[in-house]
């Protein structure tokens, strides 16, 4: 296979800490292999910065295989960059051409304050999960799978919702900075299974309340979240959450 | 959970938008149907009879109060949501905005709604206000609304504003119709497909028929 090195101009958001004012700084990187991932390209840039005695760019990452949800970069106007159903760590440099200028920004949302450079604080998501994203039944030992019959469609829909990796791209993409796609994935995943049933009503009510408290906006069904989600979480989960919420509102004590 | 809590969370506020929006959609069906009587080509006899039934009858007049209440709730809640949502991005916005994942009119409901609101002010001033004033705001004698339409729609500027108002309504409904059903919890794929198709149809046909009314008078398509 032909190995091609490309030269790029990067405009990267640099910010010392949460309270300081940030700014874009322009960097040049040369001879970047198109087989590199976007994060590997950042590693190269950071080594270059260290050699120049400059401070490397802070960015979040962990698994680098598309499953942990840490890599949060808003690349050229789209969370996780130009590819569909993809995370930043799985974005490869063949998505770009020699001479391109790439603008990289952190997730922008009041509820996700910038900690440093491209790193934002996403603990708001953890607190939303703590408000109800669990089941409090004693699961005991693993039981025979067939002893708990679950409709195939529900099992599939629940599994599809459980794919959410909590990356926050949906919030970053939404004009309202709404966390509804994330929240609806968490609510749907449990609402569709018998294990989630005992806390079904309190879960949706408490998680919505926590989401509002964290300072996320209200959903207006624009669909920007679904279009950028690396796990293709469906917008219909939001409608399911709305139904769960309305039923809880009408029937709870 | 109190009723107040149900309707004041972010999801609850959207439920209010959705219920009032669907209520306004139902009103539009009545309104467009009745006004279409102008095309009976009978010099407004049929239209004026319909308008007289709506304006001089206690039941529609009580419903009218409900309509204003719903409209005002929709407008205030809508504008407040728009402002609140805008503030959630934080102090710094994006240098490159993300516009590929959603339709422009889905992102512009506040703007489209504001244009509709401005149009509505003119619209009420043109017809509702003089008519109700003539009635002493009770069940008094009405003005000839057909003749009023002929008069109002002889002004080109007014006709243009009405057409722009209808265009905004069309785009507002292109998003709003199907969104309202998602908001009240319709997540079944088959039903969503029906509401989306129905929504686009409604968003094109109803505002188009409305827009044809001032155009018909201005260009003399009815006699
Ligand atoms: C006859 C006139 C109108 C009709 C039929 C109508 C209908 C609707 C519908 C069906 C929705 C969707 C609700 C949902 O997504 O759950 C909506 C949303 C909205 N409307 Fe209206 N509306 C009208 C007038 C107005 C006016 C005058 C304003 C404001 C000044 C306005 C502002 C909004 C806003 C801001 C939203 C929220 C957008 C969203 O949640 O996606 N609307 N409208
Ligand atoms: S719904 Fe999608 S975009 Fe949002 S947090 Fe989950 S995986 Fe990320
Ligand atoms: S680093 Fe884990 S998903 Fe990208």
């Amino acid at each position: 296979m032909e190995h091609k090195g490309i030269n790029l101009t990067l405009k990267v958001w640099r910010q010392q800490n949460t309270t300081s004012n940030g700014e874009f700084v322009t960097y040049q990187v040369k001879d970047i292999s198109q087989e590199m991932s976007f994060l590997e390209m950042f590693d190269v840039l950071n080594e270059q910065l260290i050699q120049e005695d400059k401070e490397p760019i802070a960015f979040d990452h962990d698994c680098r295989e598309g499953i942990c949800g840490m890599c949060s970069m808003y690349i050229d106007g789209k969370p996780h960059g130009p590819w569909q159903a993809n995370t930043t760590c799985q974005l490869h440099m063949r998505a770009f051409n020699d001479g391109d200028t790439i603008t990289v920004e952190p997730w922008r949302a009041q509820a996700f304050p910038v900690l440093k450079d491209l790193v934002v604080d996403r603990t708001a998501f953890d607190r939303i999960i703590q408000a109800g994203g669990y089941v409090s039944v004693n699961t005991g030992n693993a039981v025979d799978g067939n002893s708990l019959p679950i409709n195939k469609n529900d099992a599939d829909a629940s599994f599809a919702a459980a794919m959410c990796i909590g990356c926050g791209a949906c919030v970053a993409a939404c004009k309202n900075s709404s966390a509804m796609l994330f929240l609806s994935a968490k609510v749907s995943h449990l609402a569709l299974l018998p294990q989630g049933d005992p806390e079904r009503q309190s879960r949706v009510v408490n998680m919505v309340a926590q989401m509002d408290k964290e300072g996320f906006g209200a959903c207006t069904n624009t669909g920007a979240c679904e279009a950028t989600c690396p796990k293709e979480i469906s917008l219909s989960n939001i409608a399911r959450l709305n139904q769960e919420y309305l039923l809880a509102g009408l029937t709870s004590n | 959970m109190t009723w107040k809590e149900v309707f004041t969370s972010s999801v609850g506020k959207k439920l209010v938008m959705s219920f009032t929006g669907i209520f306004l959609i139902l009103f539009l069906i009545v309104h467009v149907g009745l006004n279409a009587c102008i095309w009976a080509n009978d010099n407004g006899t049929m239209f004026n009879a319909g308008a007289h039934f709506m304006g001089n009858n206690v039941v529609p007049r009580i419903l009218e109060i409900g309509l204003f209440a719903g409209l005002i709730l929709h407008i205030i809640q809508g504008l407040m949501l728009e402002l609140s949502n805008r503030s959630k991005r934080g102090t710094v916005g994006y240098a490159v905005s993300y516009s590929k994942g959603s339709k422009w009119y889905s992102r512009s409901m506040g703007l489209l709604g504001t244009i509709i609101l401005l149009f509505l002010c003119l619209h009420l001033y043109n017809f509702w206000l003089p008519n109700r004033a003539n009635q002493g705001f009770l069940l008094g004698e009405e003005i000839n609304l057909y003749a009023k339409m002929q008069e109002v729609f002889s002004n080109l500027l007014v006709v243009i504003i009405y057409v722009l108002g209808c265009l905004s309504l069309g785009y507002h409904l292109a998003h709003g119709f199907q969104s309202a059903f998602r908001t009240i919890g319709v997540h079944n794929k088959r039903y969503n497909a029906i509401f989306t198709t129905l929504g686009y149809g409604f968003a094109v046909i109803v505002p188009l028929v409305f827009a044809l009314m001032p155009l018909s008078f201005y260009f003399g398509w009815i006699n």
Side-chain angles (χ1 to χ4, degrees):
Chain A
M1 198 205 261
E2 191 195 356
H3 289 256
K4 221 174 105 191
I6 55 174
N7 301 334
L8 300 162
T9 305
L10 298 167
K11 277 176 66 186
V12 183
W13 185 259
R14 303 297 312 257
Q15 183 172 336
Q16 200 51 40
N17 54 46
T18 306
T19 49
S20 62
N21 290 329
E23 58 172 354
F24 281 105
V25 179
T26 305
Y27 301 101
Q28 308 289 338
V29 283
K30 296 210 157 49
D31 202 25
I32 296 294
S33 157
Q34 284 195 307
E35 277 125 43
M36 271 184 197
S37 75
F38 201 77
L39 296 186
E40 283 165 338
M41 185 270 292
F42 259 73
D43 294 337
V44 170
L45 171 59
N46 272 348
E47 275 174 29
Q48 191 178 307
L49 289 176
I50 291 167
Q51 262 159 24
E52 292 167 6
D53 245 2
K54 292 186 184 143
E55 206 182 339
I57 301 161
F59 63 91
D60 261 333
H61 60 107
D62 187 19
C63 71
R64 296 204 178 198
E65 55 182 13
I67 56 170
C68 76
M70 281 305 281
C71 49
S72 48
M73 287 188 192
Y74 183 92
I75 302 159
D76 273 348
K78 187 177 172 295
H80 294 302
W83 286 351
Q84 290 300 304
N86 192 60
T87 55
T88 300
C89 59
Q90 293 302 300
L91 175 65
H92 282 71
M93 296 314 293
R94 59 181 175 273
F96 301 94
N97 297 314
D98 191 37
D100 278 358
T101 299
I102 309 172
T103 308
V104 187
E105 305 175 66
W107 285 176
R108 299 263 184 223
Q110 190 190 55
F112 288 161
V114 171
L115 293 175
K116 189 176 170 64
D117 300 337
L118 301 172
V119 179
V120 299
D121 179 358
R122 280 171 292 177
T123 50
F125 270 12
D126 298 340
R127 290 186 293 272
I128 293 176
I129 296 286
Q130 282 160 15
Y134 52 80
V135 288
S136 52
V137 286
N138 188 351
T139 50
N141 290 329
V143 292
D144 173 36
N146 293 327
S147 67
L148 197 61
I150 299 172
N151 172 323
K152 171 92 166 82
N153 289 333
D154 288 346
D156 286 352
S158 171
F159 188 78
M163 297 269 285
C164 166
I165 52 176
C167 65
C170 42
V171 176
C174 174
K175 80 169 183 66
N176 310 317
S177 310
S178 171
M180 277 285 271
L181 194 66
F182 163 76
L183 182 57
S184 70
K186 300 304 169 194
V187 165
S188 293
H189 146 51
L190 293 173
L192 285 160
L193 298 179
Q195 290 91 335
D197 212 45
E199 283 138 333
R200 192 167 178 167
Q201 293 196 335
S202 60
R203 173 180 307 115
V204 64
V205 171
N206 294 340
M207 288 179 88
V208 167
Q210 188 64 35
M211 173 180 72
D212 292 349
K213 211 163 101 191
E214 297 292 348
F216 294 101
C219 169
T220 61
N221 296 320
T222 66
C225 51
E226 182 187 45
T228 205
C229 173
K231 299 297 157 185
E232 299 185 297
I233 300 295
S234 162
L235 201 61
S236 65
N237 286 304
I238 295 185
R240 185 184 289 104
L241 178 148
N242 290 332
Q243 186 194 48
E244 293 288 322
Y245 182 89
L246 186 58
L247 288 179
L250 290 178
T251 61
S252 72
N253 286 317
Chain B
M1 197 184 197
T2 64
W3 287 111
K4 186 170 178 256
E5 283 162 353
V6 175
F7 289 110
T8 52
S9 73
S10 59
V11 180
K13 285 177 184 157
K14 278 300 316 267
L15 283 170
V16 173
M17 288 311 290
S18 164
F19 289 139
T20 53
I22 292 173
F23 180 58
L24 291 174
I25 287 173
L26 293 175
F27 157 74
L28 287 183
I29 298 175
V30 178
H31 192 30
V32 80
L34 207 152
N35 282 25
C37 295
I38 58 168
W39 288 300
N41 269 336
D42 57 358
N43 213 5
T45 314
M46 194 194 216
F47 168 74
N48 275 335
H52 179 69
F53 170 78
M54 296 302 275
N56 226 323
N57 187 328
V58 178
V59 178
R61 290 297 296 276
I62 290 175
L63 287 175
E64 186 183 66
I65 299 172
L67 174 64
F68 273 106
L71 183 65
I72 291 168
L73 198 59
H74 187 85
I75 293 171
I76 295 178
Q77 183 84 93
L79 292 177
M80 281 173 58
L81 262 178
E82 175 76 21
L83 286 180
S84 147
N85 281 342
R86 275 170 188 252
S87 75
K88 301 295 198 239
R89 181 103 288 158
T91 42
V92 188
Y94 289 117
V96 189
S97 59
Y98 178 52
S99 54
K100 273 173 242 137
S102 55
K103 306 237 166 56
W104 72 267
Y105 52 86
S106 298
R107 300 191 301 272
S108 314
M109 292 295 277
L111 175 71
L112 292 166
T114 307
I115 299 175
I116 299 172
L117 176 61
L118 295 176
F119 156 77
L120 277 179
C121 292
L122 177 69
H123 181 50
L124 291 175
Y125 169 79
N126 284 154
F127 297 102
W128 184 85
L129 198 64
N131 193 32
R132 293 289 177 265
N134 203 57
Q135 290 184 297
F137 293 95
L138 293 168
L139 293 176
E141 187 56 34
E142 288 166 283
I143 59 173
N144 181 340
L145 282 167
Y146 186 81
K148 188 79 186 164
M149 277 173 116
Q150 286 174 317
E151 176 200 323
V152 169
F153 297 142
S154 62
N155 182 333
L156 181 63
L157 186 65
V158 171
V159 172
I160 291 174
I161 294 176
Y162 270 65
V163 171
L164 289 179
C166 293
L167 196 65
S168 303
L169 179 65
Y171 279 111
H172 197 76
L173 288 171
H175 175 78
F177 192 104
Q178 48 101 12
S179 171
F181 289 95
R182 291 176 176 274
T183 303
I184 55 173
V186 179
H187 58 78
N188 179 308
K189 264 192 208 142
R190 289 182 302 136
Y191 283 98
N192 264 335
I194 292 176
F195 285 125
T196 307
T197 314
L198 212 60
Y200 284 130
F202 192 92
V204 172
I205 293 168
V206 172
L208 184 69
V209 174
F210 272 128
L212 282 174
M213 294 171 190
L215 291 173
S216 295
F217 279 104
Y218 189 79
F219 292 107
W221 294 337
I222 26 180
N223 39 52

